[in-house]
Amino acid sequence: MKRMKREGHVCIIGTGYVGVATAIGLAELGWDVVGHDVIVERVRALALGEPPYRERGLASMLRRHLASGRVRFTEQLSEAVTGARMVILAVGTPGNDDGSADLSALRRAVDDLDDFGIDDAVIVLRSTVPPGTTERIAKRLQYRVPVIYSPEFLREGTAVHDVLYPSRVVIGGNDDEAIQAYADLFEHVAAPIVRTSSIEAELIKGYSNAFLAARISLANEVASLCDALGADSTAVLAGIGADPRIGSSFLQPGIGFGGPCFDKDTRSLIYVARRAGAESAMLSAVLAVNDAQPGRVLKILEDELGTLSGTTIGVWGLTFKAGTDDVRHSLAISIVQILVSKGARVRAYDPAIRTNPMLTKCEIVTEPLAAANADALMVLTEWPEFRTIPSTEIAGALRRPIVIDGRNILDAKALAAAGIRYRGVGRQELPRTKAPHRVAGEAVS
Ligand code: NAD
């Protein structure tokens, strides 16, 4: 193995959510960064200051660093890699049908680097990978360059912030010089460095996501029992979360967890455990609860309306969470598809979505109250702006006064006071203090 370089830029391969946030974060920390992606249009747009996804403040930071020359993007791998001190791989690792991680993009990126003849930079895997992958990549490169693993824990919606203010920087590997060179990038970040073997770092990432997913499934199970017993899960979960050993984050019931990470990373761990002959009963239960959750929320709607066929359902929120335009594995989209398959007409509003190829049979409107012109309204993403819409205006827009709050974010009392039948997840129904309005010819429940 040659001595590694201690000068030169940082190269980032894969400029999606993680790659772009990492590029901008490192530029904010004062490093020169060159990004590369196989999607030529993505590279060209980035070079013009247009990020591939929506996140508050991202475009302005990108443009600032492009203008200063701290960040560049190129379609040419050779240009991105030549002179780099470090190559960070942030390509996608989606799930296969059997739960295993699809590492084909990672293998291709590594083979491209190998063909190019990289031999004096540190290679850092930042993508989420199953345990053992870093070692296999090092072997694939015949141990000619150090390969280390540093998982990314960012949350979409606050991605650059999370790169700059991480709870910890986990670095796995056995090459001290390479680990130090990577840790130096985060010298001015106030977070502990957690140093482990590469396989331990891979397990830290996988189980961190599985743990958060488990909390959400537990909260959904609490909500289910609260519904059955006539208790309010909001109060119960607040009381549980007040214990500092437990905490309140990721302890809210709802439609279930979606997005590009929790489901596929949990499935990947189950796959790895099965192959290794280890237990994963808990992870399987986490997924089983989550898979059933959209059906539970839809059942509340069906109980209210009797049948969905021929109804119009208003939907607030399509993205998998607020603050992003990401709809990968969005359970909101799954629910819309089920509604359409059951004969409902869907009118949806999401502040970040104007069209979506998965929603050909759904009308996407540009105003929240236009979506509420329906037989019932479902809240499927926790966008804060939904809380600011007066209950009286929601009541005025609805044809039948029914709101199913799949995220428990609306003010139940205010809605009840406006005459709306409010149903949350694990929340008790409040008596309506105003008579529901009637639309000519329509029955009111
Ligand atoms: P993404 O799909 O948004 O971006 C991946 C990018 O890699 C794409 O632009 C793709 O074109 C590019 N790419 C694929 N093969 C390439 C190659 N050979 N050369 C150059 N570019 C290539 O994915 P993402 O959401 O940024 O996730 C990346 C990784 O980070 C995944 O492993 C994911 O699990 C993990 N992760 C994601 C998040 C998140 O919130 N999105 C958070 C933490 C970790």
Side-chain angles (χ1 to χ4, degrees):
M1 205 182 283
K2 283 190 188 171
R3 276 198 68 75
M4 67 193 65
K5 280 222 280 304
R6 283 306 197 117
E7 70 282 339
H9 63 271
V10 178
C11 164
I12 297 185
I13 310 278
T15 56
Y17 286 80
V18 168
V20 167
T22 307
I24 294 175
L26 289 176
E28 287 278 313
L29 292 171
W31 301 99
D32 289 327
V33 183
V34 180
H36 163 76
D37 202 289
V38 282
I39 302 178
V40 173
E41 307 80 61
R42 182 163 284 191
V43 172
R44 290 187 183 153
L46 277 162
L48 292 171
E50 287 160 28
Y53 58 96
R54 171 194 152 127
E55 192 159 305
R56 194 188 305 176
L58 190 69
S60 58
M61 272 190 279
L62 171 64
R63 285 170 200 157
R64 181 156 50 78
H65 289 301
L66 283 170
S68 71
R70 246 220 211 290
V71 169
R72 287 188 294 120
F73 295 93
T74 172
E75 301 158 31
Q76 305 302 328
L77 179 69
S78 56
E79 196 186 333
V81 171
T82 303
R85 69 171 67 203
M86 197 160 300
V87 177
I88 297 178
L89 291 161
V91 301
T93 51
N96 289 314
D97 287 346
D98 62 1
S100 62
D102 176 356
L103 300 177
S104 54
L106 184 62
R107 280 194 288 267
R108 179 179 159 193
V110 169
D111 288 347
D112 288 349
L113 285 173
D114 201 17
D115 290 347
F116 179 72
I118 183 160
D119 58 2
D120 57 358
V122 178
I123 295 195
V124 186
L125 305 191
R126 195 97 165 146
S127 306
T128 302
V129 293
T133 306
T134 308
E135 175 56 27
R136 280 193 285 279
I137 297 287
K139 193 172 173 194
R140 200 177 178 95
L141 293 168
Q142 296 162 329
Y143 301 104
R144 278 184 284 105
V145 281
V147 182
I148 60 176
Y149 182 59
S150 182
E152 179 54 70
F153 297 100
L154 65 77
R155 298 156 301 173
E156 291 183 19
T158 52
V160 177
H161 172 276
D162 292 351
V163 171
L164 291 172
Y165 303 95
S167 51
R168 74 282 202 205
V169 177
V170 176
I171 313 177
N174 54 18
D175 185 308
D176 290 342
E177 202 185 343
I179 287 175
Q180 188 54 51
Y182 182 72
D184 286 349
L185 296 182
F186 298 93
E187 191 186 349
H188 299 296
V189 164
I193 302 279
V194 178
R195 201 190 146 170
T196 64
S197 68
S198 58
I199 200 163
E200 287 158 356
E202 290 158 344
L203 285 163
I204 289 171
K205 173 61 191 175
Y207 274 107
S208 294
N209 275 356
F211 195 94
L212 296 173
R215 288 176 65 103
I216 295 171
S217 279
L218 187 72
N220 282 329
E221 218 162 79
V222 170
S224 175
L225 187 56
C226 283
D227 272 339
L229 299 180
D232 195 313
S233 68
T234 312
V236 174
L237 288 163
I240 295 170
D243 184 333
R245 294 171 302 175
I246 297 172
S248 58
S249 62
F250 290 84
L251 212 54
Q252 287 78 36
I255 63 171
F257 55 79
C261 296
F262 284 7
D263 182 86
K264 72 131 171 124
D265 293 347
T266 307
R267 282 182 205 281
S268 168
L269 277 178
I270 293 171
Y271 179 87
V272 170
R274 196 167 53 236
R275 301 258 301 199
E279 280 298 320
S280 60
M282 218 178 127
L283 299 186
S284 300
V286 167
L287 291 181
V289 172
N290 200 57
D291 290 345
Q293 200 60 18
R296 283 195 64 227
V297 177
L298 277 163
K299 182 161 183 325
I300 303 174
L301 177 70
E302 284 183 298
D303 287 350
E304 291 295 332
L305 291 177
T307 174
L308 293 177
S309 179
T311 62
T312 299
I313 307 300
V315 162
W316 281 359
L318 294 168
T319 55
F320 87 91
K321 63 179 280 194
T324 179
D325 57 359
D326 197 348
V327 293
R328 286 178 290 180
H329 198 71
S330 166
L331 294 184
I333 300 259
S334 306
I335 287 174
V336 169
Q337 287 167 337
I338 297 170
L339 288 170
V340 170
S341 75
K342 291 194 169 196
R345 203 177 148 199
V346 179
R347 192 169 281 150
Y349 167 76
D350 186 295
I353 305 291
R354 289 292 168 264
T355 58
N356 186 284
M358 285 185 280
L359 295 177
T360 46
K361 291 189 177 155
C362 160
E363 182 190 356
I364 300 181
V365 296
T366 55
E367 293 296 329
L369 288 174
N373 178 14
D375 295 303
L377 175 66
M378 295 190 90
V379 180
L380 301 181
T381 309
E382 71 286 13
W383 286 100
E385 71 169 81
F386 296 153
R387 287 201 191 98
T388 65
I389 300 168
S391 301
T392 46
E393 291 186 20
I394 299 172
L398 278 166
R399 295 185 206 159
R400 292 195 238 179
I402 300 167
V403 170
I404 313 294
D405 186 357
R407 298 289 189 165
N408 284 358
I409 58 165
L410 298 184
D411 183 339
K413 277 190 190 149
L415 287 165
I420 291 175
R421 198 165 154 78
Y422 171 88
R423 302 285 309 274
V425 183
R427 283 181 105 176
Q428 287 309 290
E429 206 200 322
L430 297 171
R432 286 173 291 181
T433 48
K434 185 183 158 204
H437 67 282
R438 253 171 219 280
V439 172
E442 295 214 53
V444 173
S445 57

